[in-house]
Amino acid sequence: MAMGFFSLALFLFLSVDSDSGYTSASAAAASGKEGVEITYGSAMKLMHEKTKFRLHSHDVPYGSGSGQQSVTAFPGVVDSNSYWIVKPVPGTTAKQGDAVMSGATIRLQHMKTRKWLHSHLHASPISGNLEVSCFGDDSNSDTGDHWKLIIEGSGKTWKQDQRVRLQHIDTSGYLHSHDKKYQRIAGGQQEVCGIREKRADNVWLAAEGVYLPVNESSSK
């Protein structure tokens, strides 16, 4: 029953049209719009630039390290486990519908399990870099869930298809993936980890999603 309700909710969420005030990636492309701004409260997929895999999580714990919910990069486009909601960190003035600015500290909440994209000093399972996991819930979050948005280039606000890096506040590791793949539980999916050096493998782009319209006050 719970899964059926979620599937229906996701269908309705992703089927909203332009009259609802939401902007979907596909609707923007069809209308010729470019550079849809990413706003707090939007649900989207993050695409790894080099491999085109999507940032992904599921209710499967790591068998080593922290034992927290695993995070991978997934090869397919159509999968509800690849949606993330952009949220501000507690104690800021940012609110739903505000544009996300370069240099902002943000959180990404996994839409299906409600856990936060997280990192710490545990070793990642394949490469031994910084482990990236999902942790907490709607009422349980800490600084291990905080990521700094860094826009590559001259842009000041985060836009769809814009090259960005996410740097973990506590460890300074960049959100990273590569062609090292899991063989069993998450067969065919890539490892996601944190690496402290800037590399071509830690660039991401906002891809498919449903984006809340920008508050007029935040765009001035």
Side-chain angles (χ1 to χ4, degrees), residues 88-96 98:
V89 298
T92 66
T93 58
K95 58 186 180 299
Q96 182 168 292
D98 284 351

Side-chain angles (χ1 to χ4, degrees), residues 6 55-62 66-71 80-87 107-120 132-142 144-147:
F6 175 81
L55 185 69
H56 184 89
S57 190
H58 34 230
D59 192 13
V60 177
Y62 284 122
S66 68
Q68 293 175 3
Q69 182 171 300
S70 57
V71 173
S80 61
N81 280 310
S82 299
Y83 280 102
W84 302 84
I85 304 170
V86 185
K87 297 285 188 76
R107 297 178 296 169
L108 292 176
Q109 186 175 34
H110 190 237
M111 184 172 170
K112 194 166 185 180
T113 64
R114 312 303 294 176
K115 296 180 184 294
W116 305 97
L117 186 69
H118 186 87
S119 191
H120 35 221
V132 173
S133 63
C134 268
F135 171 80
D137 53 40
D138 287 318
S139 57
N140 183 17
S141 177
D142 61 26
D145 310 330
H146 295 186
W147 300 82

Side-chain angles (χ1 to χ4, degrees), residues 81-216:
N81 280 310
S82 299
Y83 280 102
W84 302 84
I85 304 170
V86 185
K87 297 285 188 76
V89 298
T92 66
T93 58
K95 58 186 180 299
Q96 182 168 292
D98 284 351
V100 183
M101 311 298 291
S102 184
T105 300
I106 66 171
R107 297 178 296 169
L108 292 176
Q109 186 175 34
H110 190 237
M111 184 172 170
K112 194 166 185 180
T113 64
R114 312 303 294 176
K115 296 180 184 294
W116 305 97
L117 186 69
H118 186 87
S119 191
H120 35 221
L121 297 177
H122 290 284
S124 62
I126 298 178
S127 63
N129 291 303
L130 298 168
E131 182 188 272
V132 173
S133 63
C134 268
F135 171 80
D137 53 40
D138 287 318
S139 57
N140 183 17
S141 177
D142 61 26
T143 59
D145 310 330
H146 295 186
W147 300 82
K148 181 180 180 180
L149 175 76
I150 302 170
I151 294 175
E152 294 294 300
S154 58
K156 294 183 179 180
T157 60
W158 190 9
K159 296 181 180 179
Q160 186 193 4
D161 297 328
Q162 191 170 37
R163 300 173 73 248
V164 301
R165 298 177 197 270
L166 289 169
Q167 186 176 28
H168 191 244
I169 296 297
D170 284 356
T171 65
S172 299
Y174 294 97
L175 186 68
H176 184 94
S177 190
H178 39 215
D179 59 4
K180 295 178 174 62
K181 295 182 174 65
Y182 292 98
Q183 299 300 319
R184 288 188 289 179
I185 295 178
Q189 297 179 35
Q190 291 177 177
E191 181 187 53
V192 170
C193 58
I195 288 184
R196 291 191 174 97
E197 300 85 24
K198 280 189 176 183
R199 298 184 187 175
D201 277 327
N202 44 54
V203 175
W204 301 79
L205 301 92
E208 304 82 13
V210 179
Y211 300 100
L212 290 173
V214 178
N215 291 328
E216 289 185 8

